[in-house]
């Protein structure tokens, strides 16, 4: 019993809480929550990439139904933590370990995100961890979050020597917690692809050894979100090459990619710290507001809009627009029903500055593309005005509103153009 102190008891209580209410930590115990386990581990490796220490991440669905996530980062620290516990164990079994052992510059905390590898550990039947660091490969293992590997002089056992560094985590989801334990490969692959678009120097190696048809894919997207916006527009007629914007202000990193297509929909995706912000937020608002203003200013400068003309509306300027707005913030606030709405007000200003500076230069240096975009906006405004007129006509014709056509005009009552022609 002597090995149980106050700290280990609080760790056990933490694991207990996760296992009792898994939905609180990973959203659900369905396939969404199940896949989320992979994303939690993956995000930690991506953090190593963001910190500049990792180039490759390997995600493998193993034949036994488990999943392995390996990276070539620094390796989770294996030294003794201040309480005399191996640091890796603190990271892997303490809820929100954070603080000194948080390798993340960009918190993904809030809502369902960034709950950490300890949650995955608690919800796994078994978890094996291999850490390459200081010339050694250390091994640790857990069952339902409880450590099973015996320490050697208080440290993790060394099972091999190596020159490399990195972390490899293999986990098998607990089938007494999850409704199904087979990860969804379609969701996983699109998440990995998305991660590659958002982190352009990263190589993500996906392998499926689980299914009869084995599959191996390397996701690497050097052109980042510009390639992502092209992918969104695949199969559509694009009007120009993507416009790429990058800025940094107030310690907020801003990246935007815009490409118009010959269609009417608007498709704008927002991300904060690699998290898709389904409900939008201040980054999207900042982008939309400034984009509309820039187009109006440009159209006035060129005399396309005269003094008496009203401004183009926001939706006029986004007619046929596909865009990605990706920002990085050290202390994000996620709000809304599903905690996927970015709430930091200062982000609006940072996006505003990045977009106004870059777009001004773009419009000046790309008059041909600028004209194509403005023509598209004019078309939207004309269509909007025509639709309004048509609506008014219908309203005027409704029996209750009285009215009718003014003066001598009457609606056509014949489909024969010869009888319906009107000379003005
Ligand atoms: C805490 C501190 C450091 C790295 C990590 C955690 C880390 C965690 C994970 C999880 C998956 N892969 C990871 N790689 C690293 C910094 C270590 C140092 O300063 O050397």
């Amino acid at each position: 019993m002597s090995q149980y102190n106050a700290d280990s008891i609080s760790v056990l209580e933490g694991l207990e809480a996760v296992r009792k209410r898994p939905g609180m930590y990973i959203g659900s115990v369905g396939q969404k929550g199940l896949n989320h386990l992979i994303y939690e581990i993956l995000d930690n490796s991506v953090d190593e990439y963001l910190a500049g220490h990792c180039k490759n991440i390997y995600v493998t669905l193993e034949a036994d139904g488990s999943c392995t996530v390996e990276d070539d980062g620094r390796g989770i620290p294996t030294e003794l933590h201040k309480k005399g516990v191996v640091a890796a164990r603190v990271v892997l079994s303490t809820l929100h370990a954070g603080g000194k052992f948080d390798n993340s510059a960009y918190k993904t905390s809030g809502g369902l995100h960034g709950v950490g590898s300890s949650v995955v550990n608690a919800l796994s039947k078994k978890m094996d961890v291999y850490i390459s660091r200081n010339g050694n490969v250390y091994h640790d293992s857990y069952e339902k979050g409880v450590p099973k590997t015996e320490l050697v002089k208080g440290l993790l056992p060394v099972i091999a020597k190596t020159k490399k560094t990195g972390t490899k985590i293999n986990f098998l989801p607990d089938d007494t917690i999850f409704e199904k334990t087979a990860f969804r490969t379609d969701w996983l692959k699109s998440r990995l692809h998305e991660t590659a678009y958002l982190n352009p120097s990263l190589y993500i190696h996906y392998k499926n050894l689980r299914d009869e048809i084995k599959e191996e894919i390397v996701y690497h997207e050097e052109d980042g979100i510009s390639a992502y916006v092209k992918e969104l527009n695949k199969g559509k007629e694009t009007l120009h090459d993507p416009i790429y914007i990058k800025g940094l202000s107030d310690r907020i990193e801003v990246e935007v990619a815009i490409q118009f297509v010959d269609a009417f929909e608007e498709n704008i995706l927002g991300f904060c710290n690699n998290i898709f912000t389904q409900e939008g937020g201040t980054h999207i608002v900042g982008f939309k507001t400034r984009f509309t203003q820039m187009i109006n200013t440009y159209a006035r400068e060129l005399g396309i809009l005269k003094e008496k003309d009203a401004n183009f509306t926001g939706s006029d300027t986004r007619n046929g627009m596909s865009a990605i707005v990706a920002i990085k913030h050290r202390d994000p606030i996620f709000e809304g029903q599903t905690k996927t709405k970015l709430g930091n007000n200062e982000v609006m200003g940072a996006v505003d500055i990045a977009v106004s500076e870059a777009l001004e230069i773009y419009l000046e240096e790309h008059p041909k593309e600028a004209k194509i975009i403005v023509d598209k906006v004019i078309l939207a405004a004309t269509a909007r005005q025509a639709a309004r007129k048509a609506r008014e006509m219908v309203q005027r014709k409704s029996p209750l509103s009285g009215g009718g056509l003014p003066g001598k005009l009457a609606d056509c009552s014949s489909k024969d153009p010869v009888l319906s022609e009107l000379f003005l």
Side-chain angles (χ1 to χ4, degrees), residues 61-338:
L61 299 182
E62 309 285 356
D64 66 358
S66 68
C67 173
T68 306
V69 179
E70 182 174 3
D71 67 56
D72 56 3
R74 289 168 292 182
I76 306 177
T78 50
E79 300 76 62
L80 289 185
H81 189 39
K82 56 176 182 288
K83 283 170 189 156
V85 189
V86 173
R89 285 214 168 155
V90 178
V91 172
L92 294 165
S93 51
T94 317
L95 283 179
H96 297 283
K100 185 169 181 280
F101 292 107
D102 190 354
N103 69 329
S104 169
Y106 298 108
K107 268 183 254 160
T108 48
S109 63
L112 303 178
H113 308 290
V115 286
S117 29
S118 59
V119 168
V120 181
N121 196 357
L123 301 177
S124 294
K125 219 170 189 174
K126 65 176 190 75
M127 183 154 125
D128 274 286
V129 185
Y130 301 87
I131 299 164
S132 300
R133 201 175 154 93
N134 313 323
N136 298 320
V137 181
Y138 301 89
H139 175 237
D140 198 9
S141 63
Y142 300 82
E143 284 171 21
K144 300 175 184 176
V146 179
K148 290 291 159 180
T149 294
E150 237 181 274
L151 300 176
V152 180
K153 291 185 192 148
L155 295 171
L156 292 177
V158 174
I159 57 158
K161 292 280 169 189
T162 183
K163 287 201 173 104
K164 295 187 207 159
T165 62
T167 305
K168 176 164 138 180
I169 298 177
N170 171 260
F171 65 95
L172 181 70
D174 190 339
D175 58 4
T176 64
I177 301 245
F178 292 95
E179 289 161 4
K180 287 184 189 168
T181 51
F183 299 108
R184 278 280 293 258
T185 55
D186 51 349
W187 295 345
L188 174 58
K189 287 193 284 182
S190 71
R191 171 65 172 245
L192 296 181
H193 206 168
E194 177 186 291
T195 305
Y197 281 124
L198 295 169
N199 302 283
S201 301
L202 186 60
Y203 288 83
I204 303 178
H205 309 254
Y206 165 79
K207 221 187 262 186
N208 179 354
L209 304 175
R210 181 193 70 185
D211 297 324
E212 209 139 311
I213 302 166
K214 309 286 177 263
E215 193 173 23
E216 235 182 295
I217 305 168
V218 181
Y219 295 103
H220 176 67
E221 295 291 352
E222 237 159 48
D223 292 333
I225 59 169
S226 295
Y228 198 175
V229 87
K230 274 189 185 170
E231 170 65 27
L232 290 181
N233 289 338
K234 212 162 87 181
K236 295 177 191 156
E237 196 185 324
T238 56
L239 301 183
H240 58 93
D241 285 340
I243 304 170
Y244 176 74
I245 294 169
K246 191 180 171 84
L248 175 72
S249 59
D250 204 7
R251 303 224 300 168
I252 302 163
E253 272 179 58
V254 179
E255 266 192 295
V256 182
I258 309 163
Q259 189 181 39
F260 280 85
V261 292
D262 188 16
F264 299 99
E265 307 90 59
E266 163 184 333
N267 191 10
I268 303 173
L269 307 183
F271 294 87
C272 173
N273 298 354
N274 285 328
I275 297 167
F276 174 49
T277 45
Q278 184 144 29
E279 296 172 274
T282 47
H283 52 338
I284 301 293
V285 173
F287 166 66
K288 287 181 173 176
T289 309
R290 179 48 78 183
F291 188 84
T292 303
Q293 281 170 357
M294 296 294 292
I295 295 294
N296 276 308
T297 306
Y298 183 77
R300 288 203 187 275
E301 273 168 15
L302 262 67
I304 295 163
L305 283 178
K306 304 278 185 296
E307 213 169 312
K308 62 175 175 32
D309 292 333
N311 270 342
F312 295 125
T313 67
S315 79
D316 289 342
T317 66
R318 297 188 299 272
N319 174 40
M321 175 199 276
S322 295
I324 314 268
V325 181
I327 70 122
K328 296 221 171 67
H329 193 293
R330 283 174 168 73
D331 205 6
I333 303 165
F334 294 103
E335 303 172 337
Q337 280 280 306
T338 56

